[in-house]
């Protein structure tokens, strides 16, 4: 088997691209007072309005106590509100405010700008092949989803954006 050099290995390249995307996003989002964790929380709550802290913690792959600080900060910034869950008085539902929704739109605009700059020298065909290939890769990686919280998958949970 012909093994590529480590810095040309597909796993390394995917990780490096994701790392550079996270770092550039963090740099640009800081202007809005957002950290990557806050941005991920806003993006999740935009898709799942009314989610509770446990669901948010699972989505961010952190402990519920860790996500509490993120929610506290977003609430202090006027981007998130907490409301009692009518089905469980002990639980809180998290909702984006108008400022949170605006910040979420800026998050996606920032990501679009970063990706546009990063891919500006790629042809439309290359971009389409990259997108299709990444979709196929993600679909293939889904087979590991059931094992993601076990001992072998625990080390990989921090790799994603």
């Amino acid at each position: 088997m012909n093994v590529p050099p480590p810095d040309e290995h597909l796993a390394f390249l995917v990780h490096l691209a994701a790392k550079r995307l996270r770092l550039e996003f963090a740099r640009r989002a800081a202007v809005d007072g957002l950290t990557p964790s806050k941005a991920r929380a806003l993006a999740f709550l935009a898709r799942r309005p009314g989610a509770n802290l446990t669901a948010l913690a699972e989505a961010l792959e952190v402990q519920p106590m860790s996500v509490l600080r993120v929610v506290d900060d977003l609430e202090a910034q006027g981007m998130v509100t907490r409301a009692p869950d009518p089905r469980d008085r002990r639980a809180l539902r998290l909702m984006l405010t108008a400022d949170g929704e605006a910040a979420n739109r800026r998050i996606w605009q920032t990501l679009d700008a970063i990706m546009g700059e990063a891919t500006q020298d790629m042809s439309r065909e290359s971009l389409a092949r990259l997108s299709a290939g990444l979709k196929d890769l993600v679909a293939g990686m889904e087979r590991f989803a059931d094992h993601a919280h076990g001992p072998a998958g625990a080390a990989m949970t921090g790799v994603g954006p």
Side-chain angles (χ1 to χ4, degrees):
M1 182 165 109
N2 191 8
V3 178
D7 61 347
E8 293 179 16
H9 194 281
L10 180 60
F12 175 82
L13 294 171
V14 169
H15 176 76
L16 183 59
K19 177 182 175 183
R20 290 190 177 159
L21 173 60
R22 284 191 308 272
L23 290 172
E24 183 59 18
F25 177 79
R27 185 183 73 75
R28 293 185 191 196
V31 173
D32 280 335
L34 292 176
T35 63
S37 293
K38 289 179 191 177
R40 289 178 63 211
L42 290 171
F44 175 78
L45 293 172
R47 288 187 317 274
R48 293 262 324 270
N52 62 25
L53 287 170
T54 302
L56 180 58
E58 287 174 6
L60 297 182
E61 298 175 334
V62 299
Q63 295 297 315
M65 290 305 297
S66 298
V67 83
L68 195 54
R69 190 173 88 210
V70 171
V71 172
D72 287 345
D73 290 350
L74 288 171
E75 186 175 42
Q77 288 179 278
M79 295 185 191
V80 170
T81 59
R82 303 175 216 220
D85 187 327
R87 294 168 296 184
D88 180 356
R89 292 177 46 195
R90 297 167 296 170
L92 294 172
R93 295 174 46 139
L94 304 170
M95 305 292 289
L96 294 184
T97 64
D99 286 347
E101 290 173 1
N104 183 58
R105 284 190 298 277
R106 288 192 304 275
I107 288 166
W108 291 104
Q109 290 167 350
T110 300
L111 289 168
D112 285 347
I114 293 168
M115 294 308 294
E117 292 169 33
T119 61
Q120 69 184 2
D121 295 331
M122 294 176 70
S123 70
R124 214 175 250 187
E125 294 78 19
S126 290
L127 277 172
R129 284 193 311 274
L130 176 61
S131 182
L134 288 172
K135 287 176 185 177
D136 289 345
L137 177 62
V138 169
M141 296 299 271
E142 286 299 316
R143 74 187 73 209
F144 306 119
D146 293 339
H147 308 292
H149 298 293
M156 295 301 290
T157 59
V159 174

